[in-house]
Amino acid sequence: MHELIRDITLCILFAWMLGLLAHFSRQPLILAYLIAGFCIGPFGAGWVKSQESISVISELGLIFMLFMIGLEIDLKKIVRAGKVILFAAGGQLLGGCLLGVLFFIGIGLSLGGGHFDAIYLCVACALSSTVIIVKVLYEKRELDTLPGRITLGVLVLQDIFAILFLAVQPSLANLEVTVILLSIGRVAVLVAAALLISRYVLPRLFHQIARRPELILLGALAWCFLVAETAERLSLSREMGALIAGVSLSTFPYALDVTAKVTTLRDFFITLFFVALGMTIPVPGLSVIGMALMIAAFTVVSRLVTTFTPLYLMKQGLRASLLPALNLAQISEFSLVVIQTGVSDHHIAAETANAASFAFVVLAVLSTFVMTRSDEITRWAIGPLKRIGLRDLDHGNGHAEESHEAGHGEARRIVILGFFRAASALLAEIERQAPVLLEQITVVDFNPNVYQTLLSRGLHVIYGDISSADTLLHAGVGKSEMIILSVPDALLKGASNEKLVRHVRTLNPTAMIVATADLLSDVGELYAAGASYVTVTRLSDAHELFTVIEAAQAGLLADKRAELDLRLGERREVLP
């Protein structure tokens, strides 16, 4: 017992020290935890040698990690997922697994006889890292963009796929139809029982203790370990039970409260899991490094092929098809979980597991670098893709001449460069007050949903990247009378309002250019660049809030809300 406490102390101490280094060098924290485990483990300094300690630390971390993954799976979002996300995820998962089996068998890995290295690796390589992707997309403010939403939708469906694999994983050595059905049946019974209890029993209990935070936390942990132990009794696994416990809580009223209170414990035990995983990684030989590089290369290539292809075939355009593929091109933390379950059940060789861990590390670093520069990479790649015969949306959308005529031709008198919520609101306002003006407007944007929706409404829209000089030149912006830049700098990719104003002013010396400023200090710079008028959204927001305060003080807030509800009911926006 004292040895376990000492080992946990070393794990946390080294994880914190190397975590600081990773933070300052902008590397993934998971990478730091793996290196910390290697440093103090049997293959490093040897300060932690007890296999029992490593096993206990790893299992506890794994249980908490899967519980939290379950809490963050939103079943309602999966149900509401559009066909684009469903087809993209289906193509990526099925295509990735098929290519994976062929590739890994082709390089000599086993598939049968009690050894399932090829199966575990193809599943591991089909999953992408939620931690890395969400962190980078959040920092880039791309979670709410179309490629961001597609990426997150695919991640959620990948988690569901992993759950299904974990359901049959214990029976891989005896994989018969009856065994698979029995395993799925046990999972179904456990899921049904967990969902029923979390729907009809737990809310009443948690309502009674809602004002006692410590009991909320304790109740969530009790539920996690109860379902985990029940899963163990059903010949599943504690890890599988923890995942089901989390999913069952994700839809009940106190899910956010539970998540907030368990997050600290989650971070603690997830840290322990990755440190413990690092302890199992030996000093790599050339064969392990070679296999790791092959796994990493296969993951990147297969992700590009299996993600880009279904999105492109669904006419999402080259950019919106490439970005999710780049975002998803790494191995998941969940993949390491899958690999570890295989090691525990002696389904996969230790050398293969070590190679997968090294591939995870390599891709974690490379993927972070690629995702931060994904816009530049995409712009660079679109040209060669067009040259080899792939068509973008600016070459028509499959409705032949009609769509080509509707989407092209020179820009009209008023041009809206970039289309996000402000532009959506502007078009709705024009439609309400001066619909004739719509015939004089051209929108230039590269969101395929915006492109298709505006075309269907009869507006003149040009598909293209507004940061590209060629797009503006070929769109005929130089002959327009008014050019509106409504997208703030924080959401622009590869450009800023100041750069766009300068470029547009060069193309069109006489046009009225309306730009948008994020900061008050930007206003002067935009006028100096050639803007005719600069909007500052915070001023209009402040005016609106002030009128709300006035209405509230006069006892007229209900009337103001009714007025707003009436206005909202009349609007027909492209981006709700």
Side-chain angles (χ1 to χ4, degrees):
M1 182 63 185
H2 292 297
E3 187 174 308
L4 177 61
I5 294 173
R6 181 186 69 87
D7 292 344
I8 290 176
T9 301
L10 286 169
C11 289
I12 296 302
L13 181 62
F14 273 78
W16 179 65
M17 290 191 299
L18 288 173
L20 287 176
L21 287 175
H23 171 72
F24 291 120
S25 59
R26 297 182 178 274
Q27 296 302 317
L29 287 177
I30 293 171
L31 174 59
Y33 301 154
L34 289 170
I35 295 174
F38 174 78
C39 290
I40 64 176
F43 301 102
W47 292 330
V48 178
K49 297 179 180 178
S50 169
Q51 292 300 318
E52 186 178 353
S53 288
I54 295 172
S55 177
V56 170
I57 292 169
S58 177
E59 186 169 10
L60 275 174
L62 196 49
I63 286 172
F64 271 92
M65 181 177 177
L66 289 175
F67 180 55
M68 291 305 296
I69 287 175
L71 276 174
E72 292 167 2
I73 292 176
D74 192 333
L75 295 176
K76 293 178 183 176
K77 284 187 177 179
I78 296 173
V79 172
R80 294 196 303 262
K83 64 177 183 179
V84 170
I85 292 174
L86 291 174
F87 278 98
Q92 184 263 307
L93 288 167
L94 295 176
C97 287
L98 178 61
L99 291 176
V101 168
L102 295 174
F103 176 78
F104 291 120
I105 291 177
I107 63 173
L109 294 181
S110 55
L111 180 64
H115 299 287
F116 304 97
D117 299 57
I119 288 288
Y120 277 92
L121 280 184
C122 82
V123 171
C125 290
L127 305 176
S128 304
S129 172
T130 302
V131 172
I132 294 172
I133 290 171
V134 171
K135 180 176 181 293
V136 176
L137 291 183
Y138 175 80
E139 290 174 351
K140 293 179 68 183
R141 300 188 184 186
E142 291 184 5
L143 286 171
D144 197 33
T145 62
L146 176 65
R149 289 196 301 274
I150 292 173
T151 302
L152 295 179
V154 172
L155 283 175
V156 171
L157 291 168
Q158 283 181 355
D159 289 341
I160 300 299
F161 170 76
I163 292 171
L164 294 175
F165 178 76
L166 288 177
V168 301
Q169 176 269 333
S171 308
L172 276 179
N174 185 27
L175 203 59
E176 299 175 359
V177 175
T178 54
V179 174
I180 294 174
L181 292 177
L182 183 60
S183 296
I184 294 176
R186 288 169 180 162
V187 173
V189 169
L190 187 59
V191 168
L195 288 175
L196 287 172
I197 294 172
S198 68
R199 175 75 181 271
Y200 297 107
V201 179
L202 292 183
R204 296 180 182 180
L205 290 175
F206 275 77
H207 179 72
Q208 298 297 322
I209 61 174
R211 296 184 180 180
R212 303 294 296 272
E214 66 274 20
L215 287 180
I216 291 278
L217 173 60
L218 196 58
L221 296 181
W223 175 247
C224 170
F225 284 101
L226 173 63
V227 180
E229 198 58 36
T230 303
E232 182 74 12
R233 301 296 180 194
L234 289 174
S235 300
L236 297 169
S237 67
R238 290 188 180 92
E239 293 82 1
M240 181 75 186
L243 188 64
I244 292 171
V247 172
S248 66
L249 286 187
S250 67
T251 57
F252 98 134
Y254 296 92
L256 285 176
D257 198 30
V258 169
T259 303
K261 289 178 171 58
V262 180
T263 296
T264 303
L265 272 177
R266 174 204 65 177
D267 294 341
F268 175 75
F269 282 104
I270 286 178
T271 299
L272 288 181
F273 167 73
F274 283 110
V275 173
L277 184 62
M279 294 181 203
T280 65
I281 301 174
V283 177
L286 289 177
S287 61
V288 170
I289 293 174
M291 184 181 292
L293 293 177
M294 283 194 290
I295 293 171
F298 167 78
T299 301
V300 173
V301 173
S302 67
R303 196 75 88 251
L304 289 172
V305 171
T306 60
T307 305
F308 173 84
T309 304
L311 288 171
Y312 177 76
L313 292 176
M314 294 189 73
K315 297 180 173 55
Q316 295 303 297
L318 293 178
R319 182 180 183 276
S321 301
L322 273 172
L323 282 175
L326 292 175
N327 291 341
L328 294 163
Q330 73 285 121
I331 294 176
S332 172
E333 318 78 42
F334 214 156
S335 300
L336 301 184
V337 173
V338 170
I339 293 292
Q340 282 304 108
T341 57
V343 172
S344 300
D345 291 341
H346 307 290
H347 288 169
I348 182 171
E351 182 175 323
T352 305
N354 293 335
S357 297
F358 277 108
F360 168 84
V361 171
V362 170
L363 289 176
V365 177
L366 290 179
S367 178
T368 303
F369 174 82
V370 168
M371 284 183 67
T372 55
R373 294 160 179 80
S374 57
D375 290 292
E376 295 95 313
I377 294 171
T378 302
R379 285 193 193 90
W380 172 83
I382 284 176
L385 288 174
K386 285 183 175 181
R387 284 195 288 275
I388 64 173
L390 294 181
R391 288 192 164 192
D392 209 346
L393 295 183
D394 54 358
H395 285 88
N397 65 352
H399 298 295
E401 312 267 336
E402 179 183 349
S403 128
H404 184 81
E405 292 298 325
H408 293 278
E410 285 196 349
R412 296 177 179 174
R413 191 170 70 85
I414 301 172
V415 178
I416 300 175
L417 293 182
F419 195 93
F420 202 54
R421 293 197 177 101
S424 176
L426 173 62
L427 279 189
E429 196 67 23
I430 292 172
E431 187 176 41
R432 189 174 71 90
Q433 297 198 42
V436 177
L437 197 58
L438 292 175
E439 299 176 0
Q440 305 175 41
I441 292 176
T442 292
V443 174
V444 183
D445 194 73
F446 55 29
N447 183 324
N449 287 349
V450 167
Y451 178 77
Q452 300 290 356
T453 304
L454 291 177
L455 275 183
S456 67
R457 293 190 182 184
L459 275 86
H460 187 250
V461 54
I462 295 174
Y463 180 87
D465 182 357
I466 62 172
S467 67
S468 166
D470 288 340
T471 296
L472 300 182
L473 185 63
H474 293 305
V477 169
K479 298 179 182 178
S480 300
E481 295 178 19
M482 176 177 282
I483 297 154
I484 300 172
L485 311 173
S486 64
V487 182
D489 285 347
L491 297 173
L492 284 173
K493 303 300 173 189
S496 65
N497 272 272
E498 183 187 356
K499 289 180 180 178
L500 284 173
V501 168
R502 290 187 186 279
H503 190 65
V504 170
R505 181 56 74 203
T506 302
L507 291 175
N508 193 331
T510 61
M512 292 175 284
I513 302 175
V514 180
T516 299
D518 285 338
L519 306 174
L520 296 179
S521 57
D522 294 339
V523 175
E525 295 176 359
L526 288 169
Y527 281 130
S532 309
Y533 187 83
V534 178
T535 64
V536 185
T537 52
R538 68 168 72 176
L539 299 183
S540 55
D541 291 343
H543 176 71
E544 176 69 14
L545 289 172
F546 183 72
T547 61
V548 171
I549 293 173
E550 284 188 318
Q553 288 178 333
L556 299 173
L557 190 59
D559 294 339
K560 186 165 183 62
R561 176 177 171 177
E563 179 189 343
L564 178 61
D565 289 343
L566 181 63
R567 289 175 58 194
L568 291 176
E570 296 173 348
R571 299 180 79 82
R572 198 167 62 103
E573 290 206 23
V574 176
L575 299 175

